[in-house]
Amino acid sequence: MIPGGGQPNMQQLLQQAQKMQQDLARAQEELAQTEVDGQAGGGLVTATVTGAGELRNLKIDPKAVDPEDTETLADLVVAAVHAANENAQALQQEKLGPLAQGMGGGGIPGLPF
C-alpha cells in the first residue's frame, strides 16, 4: 500500500524487480571471477578462493613441509582456507549486501546476511 491510499504502479515495481535481478546476477558473476587470499603460519600457506567460495589455488612454502609433522601442515592448510573463505564472505557482503537491502532486507538465501 502506498501512503495516501493509492495503488502501487505494478509496471514500475516489475521494472525495479527486474533491474535488481540483473544487478544481482552481475554482482554474482563478478564474485565468481574475483579472487581473495587467506594465509596461515605467517604466510607459509596461502589459499586463494573466488568471491563465491571456490578454492582456486593453494601455495605451501617448502619450509612448512616436515614429513615428521604433517598434522601441523594440515592445520595450516585448513586455517588458510578458512581465512580465505572469511575474506570471500566479506567480499560477498560488500558486493551483495546493498542488493539484499534493496530487496527488503530479507537477505539472500544461501548467503550469511
Side-chain angles (χ1 to χ4, degrees), residues 33-105:
Q33 301 302 318
T34 304
E35 294 182 347
V36 293
D37 291 333
Q39 296 183 347
L44 290 175
V45 177
T46 301
T48 302
V49 299
T50 66
E54 177 188 349
L55 181 63
R56 288 271 176 95
N57 193 20
L58 187 62
K59 295 178 188 171
I60 300 173
D61 187 304
K63 292 181 234 167
V65 181
D66 179 356
E68 302 297 319
D69 186 15
T70 57
E71 286 116 22
T72 298
L73 177 58
D75 289 343
L76 290 173
V77 169
V78 169
V81 171
H82 180 74
N85 280 326
E86 283 183 345
N87 292 337
Q89 287 180 353
L91 184 62
Q92 288 172 359
Q93 178 66 37
E94 177 186 322
K95 297 288 184 185
L96 299 179
L99 294 173
Q101 291 171 357
M103 298 164 116

